[in-house]
Amino acid sequence: MPIYEYACRKCGHEFETLVRSGSVPDCPSCSSTELEKKLSLFATASSGPEPQSAAGPCGACGHPGGPGACALH
Ligand SMILES: [Zn+2]
């Protein structure tokens, strides 16, 4: 069962919750259901390096042309 991280759009409270399919989570602070869903903890843990990493776009050559540029030649 996935754990998702949410940020409440009303009060700004951030929390993690288990989400069962078909159920709508609400803010534990203000009970609002206007929530912004963030990455699940599982996806975050296994998605690899951050896009805005200081390393090169491809992670190897640091090509200045942007992500994927070094793969075009
Ligand atoms: Zn809230």
Side-chain angles (χ1 to χ4, degrees):
M1 192 174 296
I3 297 177
Y4 289 107
E5 187 174 348
Y6 288 88
C8 177
R9 286 188 174 130
K10 274 198 169 176
C11 72
H13 185 71
E14 296 188 3
F15 61 98
E16 298 156 6
T17 186
L18 289 171
V19 179
R20 293 177 175 83
S21 58
S23 74
V24 180
D26 57 4
C27 175
S29 179
C30 70
S31 297
S32 170
T33 54
E34 294 180 42
L35 307 174
E36 182 168 350
K37 188 173 168 184
K38 308 177 92 171
L39 289 177
S40 82
L41 297 182
F42 293 145
T44 303
S46 60
S47 63
E50 306 250 327
Q52 59 271 68
S53 165
C58 68
C61 71
H63 195 288
C70 66
L72 298 179
H73 43 81

